[in-house]
Amino acid sequence: MLKVRGLCKRFGGLTVTDQLNLDVGAKELHAIIGPNGAGKTTLINQLSGELFPDEGSIEFDGCYVTGMRPDQRALAGLARSFQISSVFPVFSALQNVMLAVQAQQGHSFGSWRSVLSDTRLTAPAYQALEEVGLAQQAHTPVNEMAHGARRQLELAMSLATGPKLLLLDEPMAGMSQYESDQVTELLLKLKSRYAIVLVEHDMNAVFALADRVTVLVYGRSIICAEPDVVRRDSAVQAAYLGDEKDRIGEVAQ
Amino acid sequence: MHEIVNNSPRWPATNANASRLEHLSASVNWTAAILILVLALVPMAASAIGELYYVTLMTRALIFALAAVGLNLVLGYGGLVSFGHSVYLGIGVYTVGIMMDHGITNAWLQLAAALLIGTIVAGVIGALSLRVKGVGFIMITLAFAQLLYFFCVGLRDYGGDDGFSLNGYSDFGLFQLGDNNTLYYAVLAVLAFTLLWVSRLISARFGMVIQGCKSNERRMVALGFPVFRYQWAAYVLSALICVVAGFFIVNLTRYVSPAYMQWTVSGELIVMVVVGGIATIVGPVIGAIAIVLFEEFASHAAFGLPGNADAFIHEHWLGALGVVILIVALCLKQGLYGSLFKRSARRA
Amino acid sequence: MLTWNVLLMQVLNGLQWGLLLFLLSAGLTLVFGIMNFVNLTHGSLYMMGGYFGAYAYGQTHSFWLACMVAVVGAAIVGVLLDRLVAASLYSRDHLDQVLATFGLILIFNELVRIVWGGNTSVVNPPEMLTGSVEIFGLRYPLYRLMIIVVGLLVSGLLYFIIHRTRIGMLIRAGATNTKMVSALGVNIKRLNLIVFAAGALLAGLAGVLNAPISAIQPGMGEPILILALVVIVTGGIGSIKGAFYGALLIGMADMVGRAFLPIAMTEFFGRAAAQLTGPAIASMGIYLLMAIVLIARPQGLFGGRHA
């Protein structure tokens, strides 16, 4: 589904992405982990189209998308969620998701019919909200919603676009253990339906969900393998200092 | 705060919020209807008290209300601060004025020509301006407005800086705009229709996209919307509404002048929209009426104040307006109309 | 008509006008770029410089004293503006800023009318600067030459401050990342105040320097404000270098265009056409220039995040 070859990105003298290769299969959940500053968000931005790489190619679903704008990639089936919830505070949860649905339904020049009476929008939106467990808050204005609910909404919006691949940028950021577990449950459900690229710090989630794990250090992929292999790899353990290393060690126990 | 038209389906989800929003929208549409009704009574009221001048005054207010409603489309709902919308007033004024000068009084032809020119100009300016975000956009729209202002000043054959006056008025076939009352009702009708159309538009797909772009453009792009074309369309649409306002203004004043295209007029339009209440349907109307009436009374009314205070106020009412604008900008963020509804949701 | 002398005269005039514009644009571009603040009141600060200078001149008949009063006065007004109004607007969105500063323009114009009346005030250049000097065979007014010199000195000073001093570094850093700079312990509010006041000072200087050449009247700030806006948009918002080259470019284009375009029009299109559009083309010229630059490079010539 996703083939990345030789991806390079430099900011001035700093190489943030260094000859990166990545393969993600059609129903695979591929996690990307790495210490802070490894270039994970830059990688996501290049995959989604907000940044253009200096070198390399990105092939999605058989098409080279390296030069495509983010909106074009979204229409091609590459959906992305944001690390810091990027939603529409003025609207209700339902309206947020309806916008996501609307994007995929051709042009949006309709000027007379109210969107709330348009079941082509409301039905899929409501379905997406149910999927992530937000159906109860469908009509709540987003700026009244709690942080955890907003992260769920973030996810619902990405789902509502009917994507082929989900780029999830730290979906569990800022969540409590309970909330993280819920999201992990959800992602397990979704695993079989989409290709997923998951950037996360929460190691429990990563090792519970991932089919394969890529470890990113200073923009380079130092290993790409099944979770068990990664967790035992000495280079990975060396790359992580302090907390992370202990956590990997704990999980390994 | 987003306004939703009154027909949301019954989801099993908690409807407390839904009905509150519904109620809000219902009252909003009622407000528009009542406002139009009240305004329709003005000519009768004016002749009843024998002050026919008020009809002309209110016509002017309604024309600016129309322009403000147009600006609100990009400014309030779209979040694009255009400092050059007076240009489109000018396009309406000059196209109609020049045609009238050459003997073409057919209103339909005049409107068609004005709208065509307006579309081309707005299309070009919009396309160039939207390439730049944030502060740059404001400045570029201002600069383009200046460009066209000087172009019109340079039209020596048409009075240049001073402009020229007209003898005729537009003829719709069934009626002419030569009579004060007819003009008033024509403007009111167009305003009413525009309000209706904008309120439908805002709740429709196009309106949602525009508001989405204002709220979080990055997300809109990530969802797959080609943002540029929708903002462009909204810009052109708002410009055309101002062109129609220009068509009416030249019929009201029977004078063609580049003064309508000055950047201060653009500023005044923005003031009207914000003072009334941005991103509301009737806000701009209320703001326009308020500002035009303020201008009128501050510079002419007898307040009965001691000493030279009256004359002082007449002389320096612009300064008073400046103070009002400053206060609104600093404190009264929701505008006059917006503040009437204590919205719990903060502005995006 | 197109003699060497006339051309040189216009080029020098363009240089002088451009440098004057730069004085105004430098402060403006920093405020726009670093503080992300749409400040339309900048033209009013220019006007206050002119009026303070005129007042001081009226009292003392000393040009140099008038300059000092103007500069200090404008800076004080700038500080007051920042503390009282601007500080609460920095975090607001551009619409609020446009509105507030637009209201302030109206207030300033009226204030000036109330205090000094609507008539034009006069400032005369100092004795030693009347008269002219020979440059390459052209007799050029000494006063305008002085403006050129002052303009270049200020430009040099600004360059030095921005690129070689600590405060300049902070200003440039503040342009890129305000939060980071304040996290480093720098008082952002004070930095903003300094930038704002410095801009006001320069605007006041421009106002008093231009006073002997142009009219001091209510509303004199707005036309030049718009030109300054064109300059910073063309040069790149936030970039002093952009303001410098942009101002020179626009200043030259304006002067040379106004002087020669009507002539060129007559040459190529005949008298009638020139009569019809000549002056208009000249005024439109700079806006067309800006449009062309923006088509090629939307962020301006030196746009991006540099001071």
Side-chain angles (χ1 to χ4, degrees):
Chain A
M1 180 64 52
L2 184 70
K3 278 204 196 66
V4 178
R5 291 283 175 271
L7 207 67
C8 280
K9 184 70 187 168
R10 285 174 279 272
F11 290 117
L14 191 66
T15 305
V16 183
T17 309
D18 196 357
Q19 293 294 327
L20 187 75
N21 293 336
L22 186 67
D23 281 283
V24 182
K27 300 287 183 234
E28 179 188 342
L29 196 151
H30 195 117
I32 299 184
I33 64 177
N36 282 321
K40 302 191 288 292
T41 302
T42 312
L43 174 62
I44 296 276
N45 284 339
Q46 288 176 80
L47 293 176
S48 71
E50 289 193 351
L51 279 179
F52 291 116
D54 296 321
E55 279 166 44
S57 72
I58 303 170
E59 195 187 320
F60 174 65
D61 200 18
C63 271
Y64 280 103
V65 299
T66 332
M68 285 174 125
R69 293 189 325 252
D71 54 288
Q72 293 168 314
R73 298 189 203 195
L75 288 176
L78 189 74
R80 176 228 169 116
S81 81
F82 289 83
Q83 183 181 347
I84 301 175
S85 294
S86 185
V87 293
F88 303 105
V90 268
F91 294 146
S92 68
L94 186 67
Q95 287 169 314
N96 268 264
V97 186
M98 278 164 65
L99 261 179
V101 175
Q102 190 178 323
Q104 302 282 332
Q105 286 186 359
H107 76 81
S108 288
F109 282 111
S111 306
W112 192 262
R113 187 178 180 195
S114 162
V115 290
L116 283 174
S117 65
D118 192 344
T119 44
R120 281 204 316 151
L121 291 175
T122 52
Y126 197 64
Q127 205 177 346
L129 282 176
E130 265 190 343
E131 186 114 56
V132 301
L134 276 180
Q136 288 295 88
Q137 300 191 50
H139 292 282
T140 316
V142 167
N143 48 24
E144 289 173 16
M145 284 168 78
H147 172 78
R150 288 200 206 198
R151 301 298 293 140
Q152 286 171 283
L153 178 63
E154 180 75 39
L155 203 54
M157 285 169 77
S158 309
L159 286 176
T161 58
K164 301 192 184 115
L165 181 119
L166 283 170
L167 283 172
L168 301 178
D169 194 355
E170 299 193 39
M172 291 169 236
M175 280 189 175
S176 64
Q177 189 57 47
Y178 173 69
E179 288 169 330
S180 296
D181 288 341
Q182 294 214 294
V183 175
T184 309
E185 287 282 320
L186 176 62
L187 288 177
L188 276 170
K189 255 200 307 172
L190 298 175
K191 238 180 88 153
S192 49
R193 304 215 311 253
Y194 311 100
I196 301 180
V197 173
L198 176 70
V199 171
E200 250 307 330
H201 279 297
D202 184 340
M203 291 303 156
N204 287 326
V206 167
F207 288 112
L209 291 167
D211 295 319
R212 281 194 298 169
V213 178
T214 293
V215 182
L216 217 60
V217 179
Y218 293 130
R220 276 190 157 269
S221 158
I222 62 172
I223 185 172
C224 171
E226 283 83 45
D228 285 340
V229 176
V230 168
R231 128 182 358 141
R232 282 193 286 270
D233 186 277
S234 53
V236 172
Q237 298 196 349
Y240 278 83
L241 302 162
D243 272 9
E244 303 278 41
K245 183 171 165 212
D246 291 347
R247 285 168 71 188
I248 293 185
E250 273 165 42
V251 177
Q253 245 82 36
Chain B
M1 185 66 203
H2 174 68
E3 297 167 341
I4 309 167
V5 172
N6 194 8
N7 45 10
S8 56
R10 302 268 157 247
W11 292 118
T14 53
N15 253 346
N17 288 324
S19 50
R20 177 165 64 91
L21 292 165
E22 268 176 6
H23 178 75
L24 211 58
S25 71
S27 57
V28 165
N29 284 334
W30 273 118
T31 316
I34 292 173
L35 186 63
I36 299 288
L37 237 67
V38 167
L39 287 172
L41 298 174
V42 166
M44 294 166 234
S47 65
I49 64 173
E51 292 273 11
L52 293 181
Y53 170 65
Y54 284 136
V55 178
T56 321
L57 180 64
M58 284 309 289
T59 311
R60 186 183 161 82
L62 290 188
I63 291 174
F64 276 101
L66 183 64
V69 169
L71 179 61
N72 195 25
L73 196 59
V74 278
L75 179 67
Y77 291 109
L80 300 167
V81 184
S82 166
F83 216 121
H85 258 56
S86 60
V87 154
Y88 305 111
L89 271 180
I91 288 181
V93 167
Y94 268 86
T95 317
V96 174
I98 292 178
M99 287 174 84
M100 212 103 87
D101 200 47
H102 287 265
I104 306 175
T105 57
N106 184 323
W108 302 109
L109 278 179
Q110 292 171 343
L111 270 176
L115 289 173
L116 181 64
I117 295 179
T119 309
I120 296 173
V121 173
V124 171
I125 294 182
L128 291 173
S129 307
L130 284 169
R131 284 158 64 91
V132 185
K133 299 293 168 193
V135 170
F137 178 80
I138 307 175
M139 296 307 121
I140 290 169
T141 50
L142 173 59
F144 275 123
Q146 286 296 96
L147 180 70
L148 286 164
Y149 168 73
F150 282 118
F151 177 76
C152 289
V153 165
L155 292 175
R156 291 271 185 78
D157 279 357
Y158 295 109
D161 205 4
D162 293 320
F164 63 99
S165 62
L166 289 174
N167 274 327
Y169 39 81
S170 300
D171 188 343
F172 276 101
L174 288 176
F175 57 93
Q176 296 87 31
L177 295 181
D179 170 58
N180 279 342
N181 282 355
T182 317
L183 179 61
Y184 181 85
Y185 282 116
V187 177
L188 185 62
V190 171
L191 181 65
F193 173 73
T194 311
L195 286 177
L196 176 66
W197 182 50
V198 170
S199 72
R200 298 291 321 191
L201 187 102
I202 287 308
S203 313
R205 293 196 181 211
F206 184 61
M208 293 297 282
V209 172
I210 294 302
Q211 292 172 92
C213 293
K214 176 187 180 185
S215 177
N216 190 338
E217 191 176 316
R218 189 182 183 208
R219 198 48 158 123
M220 290 299 283
V221 174
L223 286 177
F225 286 106
V227 159
F228 177 82
R229 75 180 65 154
Y230 294 110
Q231 289 181 318
W232 194 26
Y235 181 83
V236 173
L237 232 55
S238 78
L240 292 181
I241 297 177
C242 286
V243 168
V244 174
F247 162 82
F248 281 121
I249 256 241
V250 76
N251 273 290
L252 177 69
T253 62
R254 309 264 183 90
Y255 201 83
V256 177
S257 144
Y260 297 116
M261 297 170 81
Q262 285 179 328
W263 69 281
T264 44
V265 176
S266 294
E268 276 189 63
L269 282 176
I270 297 180
V271 170
M272 289 175 188
V273 172
V274 179
V275 163
I278 59 165
T280 62
I281 300 295
V282 295
V285 178
I286 294 183
I289 295 177
I291 297 291
V292 170
L293 290 181
F294 179 91
E295 268 179 42
E296 185 58 30
F297 290 119
S299 50
H300 291 117
F303 296 108
L305 293 171
N308 255 347
D310 263 16
F312 184 83
I313 294 180
H314 292 166
E315 242 334 276
H316 302 293
W317 66 271
L318 256 183
L321 182 63
V323 174
V324 169
I325 296 173
L326 187 61
I327 293 177
V328 168
L330 291 177
C331 316
L332 216 62
K333 267 311 351 266
Q334 306 276 45
L336 295 172
Y337 176 69
S339 309
L340 291 176
F341 289 79
K342 296 282 182 246
R343 316 269 166 110
S344 55
R346 262 173 280 113
R347 270 183 70 251
Chain C
M1 290 281 221
L2 201 73
T3 64
W4 166 247
N5 266 3
V6 175
L7 184 64
L8 184 62
M9 160 88 81
Q10 292 309 325
V11 166
L12 284 173
N13 279 350
L15 185 64
Q16 173 248 306
W17 182 225
L19 285 169
L20 202 73
L21 268 181
F22 171 65
L23 288 179
L24 211 60
S25 312
L28 200 60
T29 201
L30 284 181
V31 166
F32 270 58
I34 292 173
M35 287 138 63
N36 209 11
F37 180 57
V38 180
N39 182 23
L40 299 177
T41 332
H42 212 69
S44 303
L45 290 167
Y46 166 85
M47 177 178 73
M48 294 315 291
Y51 268 98
F52 285 147
Y55 178 71
Y57 184 78
Q59 302 291 312
T60 67
H61 285 283
S62 159
F63 178 74
W64 305 110
L65 210 61
C67 279
M68 289 216 295
V69 169
V71 165
V72 170
I76 292 177
V77 174
V79 169
L80 284 174
L81 261 183
D82 176 78
R83 286 285 99 153
L84 295 177
V85 178
S88 55
L89 286 171
Y90 288 141
S91 47
R92 303 274 281 272
D93 67 46
H94 291 143
L95 180 59
D96 303 341
Q97 296 166 355
V98 164
L99 216 62
T101 50
F102 182 72
L104 280 169
I105 291 179
L106 296 180
I107 294 175
F108 271 113
N109 280 341
E110 278 320 303
L111 268 176
V112 145
R113 225 176 241 126
I114 292 173
V115 175
W116 283 293
N119 300 320
T120 314
S121 307
V122 168
V123 172
N124 287 324
E127 269 303 320
M128 66 187 226
L129 287 180
T130 52
S132 41
V133 73
E134 277 249 0
I135 306 177
F136 296 120
L138 168 74
R139 293 213 69 82
Y140 194 68
L142 204 52
Y143 187 76
R144 290 186 186 247
L145 194 64
M146 183 268 287
I147 294 184
I148 293 178
V149 170
V150 170
L152 288 172
L153 279 174
V154 171
S155 311
L157 189 66
L158 269 176
Y159 177 81
F160 179 77
I161 293 178
I162 294 287
H163 287 276
R164 299 263 187 271
T165 67
R166 191 166 169 272
I167 191 126
M169 185 210 69
L170 286 175
I171 290 176
R172 277 184 294 145
T176 332
N177 196 334
T178 317
K179 288 203 185 80
M180 189 53 123
V181 173
S182 56
L184 289 174
V186 175
N187 189 337
I188 275 293
K189 282 214 185 105
R190 191 169 311 147
L191 193 65
N192 284 348
L193 179 63
I194 292 175
V195 171
F196 200 91
L201 194 151
L202 288 173
L205 179 64
V208 73
L209 282 182
N210 209 29
I213 306 181
S214 70
I216 300 181
Q217 58 197 18
M220 70 191 250
E222 279 65 77
I224 201 172
L225 170 73
I226 297 193
L227 280 181
L229 291 173
V230 173
V231 165
I232 67 175
V233 165
T234 313
I237 294 179
S239 163
I240 294 269
K241 205 193 320 185
F244 184 72
Y245 292 113
L248 286 182
L249 182 66
I250 299 290
M252 287 283 195
D254 196 24
M255 275 293 172
V256 173
R258 270 195 268 155
F260 292 120
L261 271 173
I263 300 174
M265 291 291 289
T266 323
E267 289 290 313
F268 290 112
F269 295 111
R271 190 135 275 257
Q275 274 282 13
L276 179 65
T277 56
I281 293 278
S283 305
M284 284 167 65
I286 31 177
Y287 300 104
L288 282 173
L289 190 58
M290 179 199 74
I292 292 172
V293 169
L294 288 174
I295 293 174
R297 225 182 120 82
Q299 68 270 46
L301 293 170
F302 297 96
R305 301 283 216 151
H306 312 290

